[in-house]
Amino acid sequence: MPSDSQLRPLPQVVLSAEPAGVAHLLRGLYFLHLGNAAAAIPYLRLALVYAPRDPYVHERLSRAWAATGDDHRAEGVLAAGLVAEPYDPWLNLLAGERHMVRREFFDAVPALQVAYNAPVTQAAAAPLLVDALLWLGDPRAAAMAEHAAYVHPEDAELGLSLAAVLEDHGDLEAALSLVQMARRQRPALRVGAFAESRLRELLGQPQQAAEALVPLFSFYPDEPELYVAVARLFFRAGNREGEAFRDEALLQAGEDPALRTLVAVGDLVEGRSAVGVTLLRTTLEAYPEAIDTRLYLAETLLHLGDAKGCLDTLNDVALAPEVRRAGLRAECHAALGELPLAMEAAVWAVSVSPRPLETLFEVTRWLAIFAPEAEALEALEALVSRATGSLGAQAGVWARASLLDWLGRSGEALVLLDHLREAEPDDPLLVARLADVYLHQGQIPKALALLREQMERQPDNPIALNAWGFTAAEAGLTLVEAEVMVRRAHRLAPEEGFIVDSLGWVLFKRGDASAALPLLQRANRELPGDAEVLGHLVEVYRALGRLDSARAALAAALVSSPTPVLKQQLLQSVQALDFKP
């Protein structure tokens, strides 16, 4: 939906209109300000009667109709306004926004150019115009972004917005230049410092990425999170200064178990597993009822292949029943081959979970990994039957279809889903599962269409952006667009390991294995024991001719509890690598 964030004074032509028209307009604007577009529309329509050619009223009314979901009327009012005032910058800005939402980049450029040429709308139009030009491959885009930033040197937010567009399209050097300019204007701006750090890391400069954050200590000297972020980057650069920043973070954490856990997280995601696990254990010795620390340690041990240690951590102290603890205990039992105990814990976890469908899918995933096929299907049926009061009528069908898909029987899964009344759901979790089934069945257009619809509903949701981009790359289609969407997801959530993995995989699919490797290595540290990330590393190492590293990654992947489908994919690399599992 186009933005309704632009604020400007009422045009003189409106203020000089008949008092009744002004009164209707002000009432409409009042309701728009409250976020009640439906209530605003009648007053704005009356205002238009008194000022039938006024572009301001047309623009406000068009935005109001769009906010209610009536795009047809929004387009009609906008078109009428443009007929009356074809060069009004605000109407052209709105037209450009709407073209961008519909991915009509060629049509967006002339409208946005009109808005960009007007001083009152230049700052609002600049990022959109640069984005449209980049999508069209126009070489003027970077120069226009630089021009807009220099014309508005006091507007640090504009510079960062322009940099974000360039980053999404992979022009990291130009983005870095704009971020540095914005930081000179607003040195205390956290988002600017983290943007520079993120860009430098993507450019393979972890040392400079750490140094980009250091000036923030002048403004935020007592934040353990900031010290952890700097320490992580120094560790990544192989710089011993990381220890000093980590020590300071731990000193500031004091007796707070949550902050001590944060320091341990920094260790673990940088591959310092022994140090991180030790810190978690000592924290639990001092604060045995720190449930989040306990759960994180247990989950970490499970991912590191120590299912018994995971279970021991969960059982080490008597705590009140906790649904996350029950779900994790179930998976630990399953990893140890103790399926009856696993299912008892799983039934309780699903029954009391605030998100029972999400918990059910997690149980389904590890059933596919740890249980023989027949036992997995039988256990799932029993679980759904016992927890039916917590689940919707169709949850069992979705779970069974997902299990079949993870077991490599996606054709049966699709047949099962075809019997549901809602073939294409709105729930993001169900959308992702259905898209996977479509993908595994080779119905790539259906998978992408489903994920694109979700992405367009949530254009700033990194999970939705990543899902579409990764799927498009996996299918080998629209790789340019896939990279933009995954880069955008990474910009919005740079610490999510699965998004880092997706970005590395997209770059590999685009033929840049050298750029992909550090991203996948980082994802492997952040998601230890993840078979899919390890599988991606196998392919990248092979492409780079590093066959010993590829064999080591393949060996790790095969013992890291892959789903049956993923295991079959991994085994396809065995012969090519002359590898004996």
Side-chain angles (χ1 to χ4, degrees):
M1 189 80 57
S3 167
D4 192 29
S5 61
Q6 289 82 24
L7 298 176
R8 66 187 194 273
L10 290 174
Q12 189 61 40
V13 64
V14 173
L15 293 175
S16 62
E18 295 186 31
V22 175
H24 290 309
L25 175 60
L26 292 175
R27 290 190 184 99
L29 295 177
Y30 170 75
F31 282 113
L32 277 182
H33 178 71
L34 293 178
N36 191 344
I41 286 171
Y43 295 109
L44 294 174
R45 295 180 73 183
L46 287 169
L48 198 59
V49 172
Y50 288 91
R53 294 182 58 84
D54 186 78
Y56 180 83
V57 182
H58 279 88
E59 189 255 4
R60 293 288 95 183
L61 180 56
S62 178
R63 288 191 183 277
W65 280 121
T68 65
D70 194 333
D71 282 343
H72 178 72
R73 286 180 172 172
E75 289 287 350
V77 172
L78 175 59
L82 286 169
V83 168
E85 296 288 343
Y87 298 107
D88 178 75
W90 293 97
L91 285 173
N92 276 278
L93 175 62
L94 177 56
E97 288 180 8
R98 294 188 67 80
H99 284 306
M100 291 297 289
V101 168
R102 296 193 296 267
R103 304 181 59 75
E104 299 165 351
F105 305 121
F106 186 81
D107 294 327
V109 169
L112 292 171
Q113 189 71 64
V114 171
Y116 183 76
N117 291 338
V120 292
T121 50
Q122 187 172 71
L128 292 168
L129 180 56
V130 170
D131 194 22
L133 292 173
L134 286 167
W135 279 115
L136 294 171
D138 193 312
R140 299 174 296 165
M144 179 162 285
E146 185 178 0
H147 173 266
Y150 275 97
V151 170
H152 301 273
E154 77 294 341
D155 193 343
E157 284 78 7
L158 172 60
L160 293 175
S161 295
L162 292 163
V165 173
L166 292 168
E167 180 183 348
D168 291 350
H169 288 268
D171 194 343
L172 304 182
E173 293 284 2
L176 179 59
S177 177
L178 292 180
V179 168
Q180 289 174 318
M181 180 179 174
R183 290 196 71 189
R184 287 192 290 272
Q185 294 297 321
R186 299 273 300 279
L189 200 61
R190 295 176 67 98
V191 66
F194 277 94
E196 179 175 349
S197 179
R198 183 179 64 250
L199 286 163
R200 288 197 176 278
E201 188 177 5
L202 288 171
L203 288 165
Q205 303 168 359
Q207 173 83 18
Q208 293 92 326
E211 291 168 352
L213 296 179
V214 169
L216 287 180
F217 289 118
S218 298
F219 308 98
Y220 312 100
D222 304 317
E223 290 192 6
E225 298 90 338
L226 185 55
Y227 284 93
V228 169
V230 173
R232 287 181 56 189
L233 289 165
F234 275 129
F235 287 139
R236 208 169 297 170
N239 190 319
R240 293 182 179 179
E241 287 188 55
E243 292 291 355
F245 283 94
R246 179 192 183 273
D247 290 345
E248 181 61 28
L250 200 54
L251 181 64
Q252 291 193 16
E255 304 303 312
D256 187 329
L259 292 177
R260 290 172 62 86
T261 301
L262 177 68
V263 178
V265 170
D267 291 326
L268 289 160
V269 296
E270 294 308 320
R272 295 157 47 90
S273 299
V275 176
V277 168
T278 298
L279 178 55
L280 291 172
R281 290 191 190 281
T282 56
T283 299
L284 284 176
E285 288 172 6
Y287 311 98
E289 295 188 5
I291 183 64
D292 289 331
T293 302
R294 186 168 297 280
L295 289 169
Y296 184 70
L297 174 58
E299 188 175 12
T300 297
L301 293 172
L302 181 63
H303 290 163
L304 292 173
D306 185 1
K308 185 177 185 306
C310 167
L311 201 56
D312 289 344
T313 299
L314 294 173
N315 294 335
D316 190 44
V317 66
L319 293 174
E322 213 273 358
V323 63
R324 293 174 300 164
R325 187 174 178 227
L328 189 52
R329 179 186 282 113
E331 186 171 356
C332 294
H333 280 300
L336 291 168
E338 301 167 349
L339 191 59
L341 292 173
M343 296 314 297
E344 285 300 318
V347 169
W348 186 85
V350 171
S351 299
V352 301
S353 173
R355 296 185 295 274
L357 188 60
E358 184 177 324
T359 305
L360 177 63
F361 273 119
E362 185 60 24
V363 173
T364 303
R365 182 193 61 80
W366 55 249
L367 275 173
I369 294 171
F370 296 121
E373 186 172 308
E375 290 183 36
L377 290 165
E378 182 180 347
L380 179 62
E381 293 296 337
L383 183 152
V384 171
S385 175
R386 292 176 62 186
T388 186
S390 307
L391 300 167
Q394 298 176 343
V397 180
W398 276 102
R400 183 177 177 84
S402 286
L403 180 55
L404 289 169
D405 183 47
W406 276 317
L407 291 171
R409 296 163 58 177
S410 57
E412 295 173 61
L414 197 56
V415 170
L416 199 60
L417 293 176
D418 282 342
H419 291 300
L420 294 181
R421 286 174 293 180
E422 297 179 8
E424 296 190 355
D426 292 329
D427 187 303
L429 186 60
L430 300 184
V431 167
R433 292 305 308 128
L434 182 56
D436 278 347
V437 175
Y438 281 142
L439 183 64
H440 296 156
Q441 273 293 292
Q443 298 189 31
I444 296 168
K446 280 190 174 182
L448 291 177
L450 193 63
L451 292 171
R452 182 181 287 281
E453 183 180 347
Q454 182 185 47
M455 180 175 67
E456 290 176 350
R457 285 198 305 267
Q458 302 174 308
D460 294 320
N461 183 329
I463 296 175
L465 291 164
N466 181 76
W468 188 91
F470 178 81
T471 303
E474 187 75 352
L477 301 174
T478 57
L479 289 175
V480 172
E481 187 178 357
E483 181 179 345
V484 173
M485 295 308 169
V486 175
R487 283 194 182 278
R488 186 170 296 166
H490 178 266
R491 174 171 57 80
L492 294 168
E495 298 304 320
E496 290 290 352
F498 67 94
I499 293 178
V500 176
D501 170 66
S502 293
L503 181 54
W505 190 237
V506 170
L507 293 178
F508 172 69
K509 287 286 191 175
R510 293 208 66 191
D512 195 348
S514 296
L517 181 58
L519 289 162
L520 292 173
Q521 289 172 327
R522 176 183 159 197
N524 186 43
R525 291 193 301 270
E526 296 185 0
L527 300 170
D530 188 288
E532 188 167 16
V533 175
L534 287 164
H536 292 162
L537 271 172
V538 171
E539 297 304 315
V540 172
Y541 281 132
R542 280 180 60 190
L544 293 172
R546 296 174 56 174
L547 299 187
D548 287 343
S549 296
R551 294 185 188 101
L554 179 57
L558 288 171
V559 299
S560 63
S561 304
T563 63
V565 170
L566 182 54
K567 186 173 183 178
Q568 286 303 312
Q569 294 172 357
L570 291 169
L571 289 173
Q572 293 173 10
S573 300
V574 167
Q575 187 173 0
L577 290 171
D578 190 24
F579 175 77
K580 294 184 175 62

